Amino acid sequence: MTPSPRGDLFDPACPTRRLLDRIGTKWTSMVVKVLAEADPGEVRFADLQRRMPGVSQKMLSVTLRSLTHDGLVARRVEPTVPPKVHYRLTDLGLSLEVPLAALRNWAEENMAAIDRANAEA
Amino acid sequence: MTPSPRGDLFDPACPTRRLLDRIGTKWTSMVVKVLAEADPGEVRFADLQRRMPGVSQKMLSVTLRSLTHDGLVARRVEPTVPPKVHYRLTDLGLSLEVPLAALRNWAEENMAAIDRANAEA
DNA sequence: CGGGATCCGTGGCGATACTG
DNA sequence: CAGTATCGCCACGGATCCCG
């Protein structure tokens, strides 16, 4: 009784489209990768920013809020002054890392071929 | 001697980012799926459009040109009047379908959980 | 039939500055 | 430290019109 059965890729609520709208956003997949490979599993905001060269505070904040909202990332606040906020992947987020890693592997193995195709054109 | 070694996800030429920039575009993954599941392997332009409800001529054209440029899709023109143009996945395109299908499976199995998380918020 | 060209709205995203 | 607020650019993508 899943909301949209297999093969129903093109209905208005298309799950694949909605997922790509999320992970296709510029920093999302980076956050997932960094959190998945983080040693303690939990990473603080500033730490994340350091491990993601080029990300602005705003976009990191927006990305994390979105992922938290989607239940892929969990937020833990230490009520100290100044506050410390830790982020980690939920089980759902960890499960997403699997197909995402497969996609990364494909990219790392085949982007060169795409570059070659572009060069010919 | 790959241009960017494993784990180098964040350099300027980050393969994963570049791949997501392509497949994250609205219609790309749909084209790949439709072509991958097409019966003869080759599909004509108008046929593709019929199988992708909501796509405009322009975006289908742009998407196909991009995929062709990247070497993921091959174009065959029958020099008749009016001309018939056929599209099919290249071997590279077919290989991309594998991790893409994994991502679709994840989406179809887990988007409900994401919806639940959103409902709670 | 299979597109290319153009106009234009919307939204992603960056830079900067401010706050609890 | 960890955000939020505001501004502005520009690329994605839809509608429409035209061409070989």
Side-chain angles (χ1 to χ4, degrees):
Chain A
M1 62 132 272
T2 51
S4 59
R6 293 312 188 79
D8 200 2
L9 179 60
F10 304 121
D11 74 359
C14 164
T16 302
R17 176 96 299 279
R18 293 183 35 219
L19 178 63
L20 284 172
D21 283 343
R22 290 154 200 266
I23 68 170
T25 206
K26 192 164 188 179
W27 302 105
T28 307
S29 59
M30 282 198 198
V31 170
V32 173
K33 176 183 164 65
V34 169
L35 288 181
E37 294 175 352
D39 202 348
E42 275 195 339
V43 184
R44 293 185 52 188
F45 188 91
D47 250 339
L48 275 171
Q49 194 172 12
R50 270 193 308 96
R51 300 191 198 190
M52 296 169 55
V55 71
S56 65
Q57 290 188 1
K58 169 190 170 179
M59 286 320 295
L60 183 54
S61 176
V62 168
T63 303
L64 286 170
R65 201 186 323 148
S66 168
L67 286 170
T68 304
H69 192 78
D70 286 344
L72 296 169
V73 162
R75 215 179 111 108
R76 182 173 67 85
V77 182
E78 279 188 71
T80 57
V81 269
K84 300 178 183 178
V85 186
H86 305 259
Y87 295 91
R88 62 171 178 81
L89 288 181
T90 61
D91 289 346
L92 191 60
L94 267 173
S95 76
L96 175 59
E97 229 292 297
V98 177
L100 224 46
L103 211 61
R104 276 200 300 273
N105 286 339
W106 190 95
E108 288 167 354
E109 287 167 7
N110 296 292
M111 284 310 286
I114 288 188
D115 287 337
R116 245 176 287 121
N118 280 318
E120 289 169 13
Chain B
M1 58 133 270
T2 50
S4 59
R6 295 310 187 80
D8 200 2
L9 180 59
F10 305 121
D11 74 359
C14 163
T16 302
R17 175 96 300 276
R18 293 182 34 216
L19 178 63
L20 284 173
D21 283 343
R22 291 154 199 267
I23 68 170
T25 206
K26 193 165 187 179
W27 303 104
T28 306
S29 59
M30 283 198 197
V31 170
V32 173
K33 176 183 163 67
V34 169
L35 288 181
E37 295 175 352
D39 202 349
E42 276 195 340
V43 183
R44 292 186 53 189
F45 187 92
D47 250 340
L48 275 171
Q49 195 172 10
R50 270 193 309 94
R51 301 191 197 189
M52 297 169 54
V55 71
S56 65
Q57 290 188 5
K58 169 190 169 178
M59 286 319 295
L60 182 54
S61 175
V62 168
T63 303
L64 286 170
R65 201 186 323 148
S66 167
L67 286 169
T68 304
H69 191 79
D70 287 343
L72 297 169
V73 162
R75 214 179 112 108
R76 183 172 67 84
V77 182
E78 279 187 72
T80 57
V81 269
K84 299 179 184 178
V85 186
H86 305 259
Y87 295 92
R88 63 172 176 81
L89 288 180
T90 61
D91 289 346
L92 191 60
L94 267 173
S95 76
L96 174 58
E97 230 290 301
V98 177
L100 224 46
L103 210 61
R104 277 200 301 272
N105 286 338
W106 191 95
E108 289 167 353
E109 288 167 8
N110 296 291
M111 284 309 287
I114 288 188
D115 288 337
R116 245 176 286 121
N118 280 318
E120 288 168 15

